[in-house]
Amino acid sequence: MMNQENNIEELITEGQDIMVQAAKAPLGSKGARVTTNISLPGRFIVLMPTSDHIGVSRRIEDETERKRLKEIVDSSRKDRFGYIIRTAAEDIRKEKIAYEMGFLKNLWENIQKKYQTAPAPSLLHKEVAITLRAVRDLLIHEAEKLIIDSRSGYESILLFLDSFVPSLKDSVEFYEDIEPIFDAYNLEGDISRALKKKVWLKSGGYIVIEHTEALNAIDVNTGRFVGKYNLEETILKTNLEAVKEIAYQIRLRDIGGIIIIDFIDMEKKSNQEKVFNALKEALMKDRSKTHILPISEMGLIQMTRKRIRKPLTRILCEPCFYCEGEGYLISRQTICYNIYREILSESRDMMGVKVSLRVNPEIAELLHGEENHLILSLERMIGKQIVIYPDSHLHMEEFDVLEILKE
């Protein structure tokens, strides 16, 4: 075990083979985070072979039940492995928990056997398919029904439930309609909304979600909503409506890291507390760990959410090929002035009789019209005619300046 006085250089050496688990997916310029503290999740418990701690999910609030589950795990373990008891274990019989403990222990032993003979690097173990993870992690406490349109996926889920939770088999439905499942449940609409910066609220207000390398910013605006009473009530109603949407969007988009929320300014302290408490309550359903600070004097809420994988926008989208992910282009007028300075600079070495200028068609139109004075000024200064050629293959910001040696 590593203590605070040890340096990493004293514990491992270059070229040494070690077993690690990917705890966090790569994001942007940051690589994947790996750890030697292995954890193997099951339906009811998580095995931690490098620890001896027994923990219980904070969502199990009943103290009697927490004590019962701890005693079950402690009396059933035949080793000094650590275990985290998951929310799904609440009210589950001892036999089922003990069976899963044995299953996970056997899984760990198989991983260790592979580790002894496998060359480095090698994949020793990977999580179950996403459909089974959805059943294991979401079906009991976060969803009432699972609807799937894949026959093979449906059958594998039923086999999985037979082994772990047979009572949930009726909660799984095979979708057989002609209409695509995403259209039937308007999932395309939800995904489309999840990729947009602006999300409208039912009242007419809206929120704007911006991602940066350092943090995520969420801004709340009243928009078209003017309310029927005084301004403070209108603002409170918009902020409370925004709280529900923000909590939903954070989970849907899987936004992690530092999140700054700029609610509409409220004068009354009691209203600020209502919004803060509403946000805390709305995020209680979130499976990722969150930490929320009260509203600051500037009307901002600062919070953090554990980031494990890429957010939805990074998974479903890629940087714009035109602006290269910057999110903006140089204005057309600025491009015209860049061209002006470029031609002026190159004209000293030009021996030809004319200058050829190839530009994007939109820039060509501007140079023939509103910004034509730049071309006329250049022609007077350099004493040469400038011929403009539109080229649709050129990026808006690209241009080519060439001299024409002969007529």
Side-chain angles (χ1 to χ4, degrees), residues 6 11 21 25 30 32 34 53 61 87 116 138 147-148 178-179 220 235 239 262 274 279 292 297 301 326 342 367 399:
N6 287 128
L11 298 169
Q21 182 174 26
K30 300 176 183 176
V34 296
H53 170 72
E61 297 176 352
T87 312
Q116 298 301 325
L138 302 174
I147 303 170
I148 184 168
I178 297 173
E179 185 182 15
V220 183
I235 290 171
N239 282 339
D262 184 8
K274 284 180 184 177
L279 181 63
I292 312 168
E297 292 181 4
I301 278 188
E326 294 291 340
E342 183 72 18
L367 289 172
F399 57 88

Side-chain angles (χ1 to χ4, degrees), residues 227-406:
K228 297 179 180 179
Y229 306 103
N230 60 46
L231 181 61
E232 182 75 7
E233 287 187 20
T234 300
I235 290 171
L236 176 61
K237 185 174 180 180
T238 305
N239 282 339
L240 288 174
E241 185 185 7
V243 159
K244 295 178 182 177
E245 189 63 37
I246 287 168
Y248 173 69
Q249 290 295 329
I250 285 174
R251 295 175 67 203
L252 178 63
R253 299 173 188 231
D254 206 3
I255 300 172
I258 299 170
I259 303 171
I260 306 295
I261 306 173
D262 184 8
F263 286 104
I264 307 164
D265 290 340
M266 295 167 285
E267 292 181 2
K268 294 181 181 178
K269 193 76 176 174
S270 59
N271 287 344
Q272 292 181 6
E273 290 175 358
K274 284 180 184 177
V275 171
F276 173 68
N277 291 330
L279 181 63
K280 283 181 67 177
E281 186 177 347
L283 289 169
M284 283 179 69
K285 296 178 182 178
D286 197 342
R287 291 173 60 243
S288 293
K289 187 178 180 181
T290 57
H291 178 62
I292 312 168
L293 296 178
I295 295 180
S296 69
E297 292 181 4
M298 297 179 69
L300 304 175
I301 278 188
Q302 303 168 71
M303 64 171 285
T304 58
R305 182 174 184 267
K306 189 174 181 181
R307 179 162 50 199
I308 299 173
R309 61 186 70 84
K310 295 178 183 178
L312 190 66
T313 49
R314 296 283 182 94
I315 295 171
L316 299 183
C317 304
E318 60 184 31
C320 170
F321 67 90
Y322 208 79
C323 71
E324 296 180 347
E326 294 291 340
Y328 57 84
L329 295 170
I330 296 173
S331 71
R332 291 179 297 168
Q333 189 177 39
T334 301
I335 294 167
C336 291
Y337 279 92
N338 288 347
I339 292 169
Y340 176 89
R341 289 191 295 272
E342 183 72 18
I343 293 176
L344 197 60
S345 174
E346 291 187 16
S347 64
R348 300 167 193 161
D349 301 320
M350 286 182 179
M351 304 302 292
V353 294
K354 292 182 182 179
V355 175
S356 163
L357 174 61
R358 292 192 176 275
V359 293
N360 181 278
E362 290 195 32
I363 302 301
E365 184 181 348
L366 198 61
L367 289 172
H368 281 302
E370 188 180 331
E371 298 298 334
N372 186 243
H373 64 93
L374 293 175
I375 299 299
L376 296 175
S377 173
L378 276 170
E379 287 178 335
R380 283 195 303 269
M381 293 175 71
I382 67 176
K384 295 178 177 65
Q385 182 187 359
I386 299 172
V387 185
I388 301 170
Y389 296 99
D391 187 342
S392 59
H393 294 101
L394 288 177
H395 185 286
M396 182 79 75
E397 298 174 7
E398 287 181 326
F399 57 88
D400 288 325
V401 178
L402 299 169
E403 57 179 323
I404 301 174
L405 298 176
K406 295 180 181 179

